[in-house]
Amino acid sequence: MSREICQLIWNLFETTSLEKDYELRNPMNRSSGSIMDNISEGFERNGRREFINFLSYSKGSCGELRSQLYRAFDRNHISKEEFELLNEKTTTESKMIGAFMSYLVKSEIKGSKFD
């Protein structure tokens, strides 16, 4: 889902007036990418605690992107439909990450670097 969010955000840059609002566009690009990147980086660390930590960064980036979406909507860069779709997707992604973090906290698996 994080990859889909990245693509949807990029599509906004190509199809809306966000293309020229660099002060909002650039942070949106970074936060949407950060969702996906932190999941990947945390997984590659091969340790449960580090993975949970990076998942928390990813979850935070979901919230950051939602805030930026509100600004994009308030500045009339995106439609209500575009806002609602991405707000729903980032909220769902955040909930999924949170649930995965809860699972990992309870898990006895430490990660392959501890095997």
Side-chain angles (χ1 to χ4, degrees):
M1 182 176 284
S2 60
R3 185 176 177 194
E4 180 185 0
I5 290 169
C6 281
Q7 188 59 51
L8 288 169
I9 292 296
W10 189 258
N11 289 343
L12 289 178
F13 300 155
E14 293 182 331
T15 61
T16 69
S17 58
L18 272 168
E19 174 184 32
K20 294 181 179 152
D21 187 345
Y22 297 106
E23 289 182 12
L24 182 54
R25 172 190 163 156
N26 291 340
M28 287 178 77
N29 189 44
R30 284 191 299 273
S31 60
S32 64
S34 182
I35 298 167
M36 188 169 150
D37 295 345
N38 280 304
I39 293 169
S40 299
E41 184 174 352
F43 179 78
E44 288 295 324
R45 300 272 178 146
N46 295 319
R48 179 177 53 105
R49 287 185 186 175
E50 284 178 291
F51 192 17
I52 293 167
N53 192 43
F54 277 86
L55 287 171
S56 74
Y57 299 148
S58 182
K59 191 173 186 306
S61 293
C62 287
E64 182 179 5
L65 182 56
R66 273 195 307 280
S67 173
Q68 293 157 347
L69 288 167
Y70 273 99
R71 287 191 289 158
F73 178 69
D74 291 345
R75 294 179 188 180
N76 298 312
H77 289 307
I78 61 175
S79 69
K80 184 176 182 180
E81 293 77 22
E82 290 166 323
F83 169 79
E84 288 175 349
L85 172 71
L86 280 157
N87 188 51
E88 180 183 329
K89 286 192 178 294
T90 55
T91 298
T92 300
E93 178 74 350
S94 182
K95 288 177 182 178
M96 290 169 54
I97 292 168
F100 192 35
M101 289 169 63
S102 294
Y103 165 79
L104 289 173
V105 165
K106 297 172 188 170
S107 174
E108 294 185 22
I109 299 169
K110 293 183 179 180
S112 64
K113 74 179 178 181
F114 297 102
D115 291 341

